[in-house]
Amino acid sequence: AQSVTQLGSHVSVSEGALVLLRCNYSSSVPPYLFWYVQYPNQGLQLLLKYTSAATLVKGINGFEAEFKKSETSFHLTKPSAHMSDAAEYFCAVEPRGSTLGRLYFGRGTQLTVWP
Amino acid sequence: KAGVTQTPRYLIKTRGQQVTLSCSPISGHRSVSWYQQTPGQGLQFLFEYFSETQRNKGNFPGRFSGRQFSNSRSEMNVSTLELGDSALYLCASSLGGTEAYEQYFGPGTRLTVT
């Protein structure tokens, strides 16, 4: 079964500081990879996805993620945090093959941004 | 384009009752997936429908069921509600097919079972 690990359930940064949220997956075949953000009392919003075209993926709101096969990682970064980035972030994978349409999610990382 | 809509947004039911939740996907999307979100278990996949057929199913008891209509709208039903069914139920739509198209999520239905 697919496994997604997000290191750090809570991350705190100052406004303007680098944001780094970690995600590792367990799969011998690199899956499709996604990052979603969830604001309070809302659904999930897609930030970016990796399908295999490029290892560095740019998303919305200044976020980007780098796929590293050797490390089975897909960490999310943003050079400069903004107060509005405070939310919960989820890494998700979709295995290649017959389980299309099913996402496996990590447990989430709550990002706090201090002024 | 209008986003994914879910109705109702909030629901309070009593143990033993049944409930039906509705999801309208983005126009043109043929795949609808359902997820349960709880503080204890996180986000868990319930099932996915594509062109009125269930393609995938997660590890939930038979009390959880769903269906999809010809216009791609989907419903999920939970019978004999238990306290542990209290959760945020999210549906997501995508173009579907054979590639990993992006899934777009609705705002969710918050179900409370008392």
Side-chain angles (χ1 to χ4, degrees):
Chain A
Q2 284 288 333
S3 171
V4 183
T5 303
Q6 290 185 240
L7 285 175
S9 58
H10 291 85
V11 170
S12 295
V13 300
S14 299
E15 194 171 20
L18 171 72
V19 175
L20 171 60
L21 305 181
R22 301 177 187 274
C23 173
N24 289 86
Y25 64 91
S26 65
S27 173
S28 56
V29 177
Y32 300 106
L33 294 151
F34 306 83
W35 275 100
Y36 284 88
V37 61
Q38 186 176 35
Y39 298 98
N41 299 316
Q42 294 187 27
L44 278 68
Q45 180 183 9
L46 179 67
L47 284 175
L48 49 80
K49 75 168 187 177
Y50 166 79
T51 56
S52 73
T55 57
L56 184 62
V57 182
K58 294 188 183 300
I60 62 171
N61 302 339
F63 285 94
E64 61 182 37
E66 186 174 10
F67 170 72
K68 291 187 177 180
K69 184 178 178 181
S70 61
E71 299 177 6
T72 60
S73 70
F74 190 58
H75 302 331
L76 182 71
T77 60
K78 182 173 181 178
S80 177
H82 192 271
M83 296 292 290
S84 61
D85 295 326
E88 189 153 25
Y89 292 78
F90 293 92
C91 180
V93 306
E94 182 169 345
R96 297 176 188 267
S98 62
T99 54
L100 286 175
R102 174 176 186 164
L103 292 174
Y104 294 81
F105 286 90
R107 294 308 300 268
T109 298
Q110 182 68 47
L111 175 66
T112 300
V113 182
W114 299 100
Chain B
K1 259 187 188 178
V4 178
T5 58
Q6 292 187 246
T7 57
R9 290 293 311 278
Y10 301 91
L11 207 50
I12 299 175
K13 289 287 188 178
T14 303
R15 209 168 27 173
Q17 290 185 313
Q18 74 163 16
V19 66
T20 298
L21 311 181
S22 181
C23 173
S24 293
I26 292 171
S27 177
H29 285 191
R30 297 167 64 190
S31 171
V32 173
S33 299
W34 288 89
Y35 297 86
Q36 181 196 65
Q37 185 177 25
T38 60
Q41 299 299 319
L43 282 152
Q44 293 186 288
F45 173 80
L46 282 155
F47 29 64
E48 186 256 2
Y49 287 87
F50 177 77
S51 293
E52 302 180 66
T53 300
Q54 187 182 87
R55 291 196 301 185
N56 284 303
K57 189 177 189 305
N59 296 324
F60 279 83
R63 301 185 296 108
F64 292 81
S65 63
R67 60 178 176 169
Q68 187 180 35
F69 302 95
S70 58
N71 62 358
S72 294
R73 189 177 69 85
S74 178
E75 291 181 346
M76 67 163 282
N77 183 274
V78 188
S79 62
T80 319
L81 284 166
E82 300 177 359
L83 294 178
D85 297 333
S86 294
L88 180 67
Y89 290 89
L90 294 163
C91 83
S93 77
S94 72
L95 288 169
T98 58
E99 293 189 33
Y101 293 105
E102 297 92 340
Q103 293 191 24
Y104 295 90
F105 284 79
T109 294
R110 173 77 61 186
L111 172 64
T112 302
V113 182
T114 63

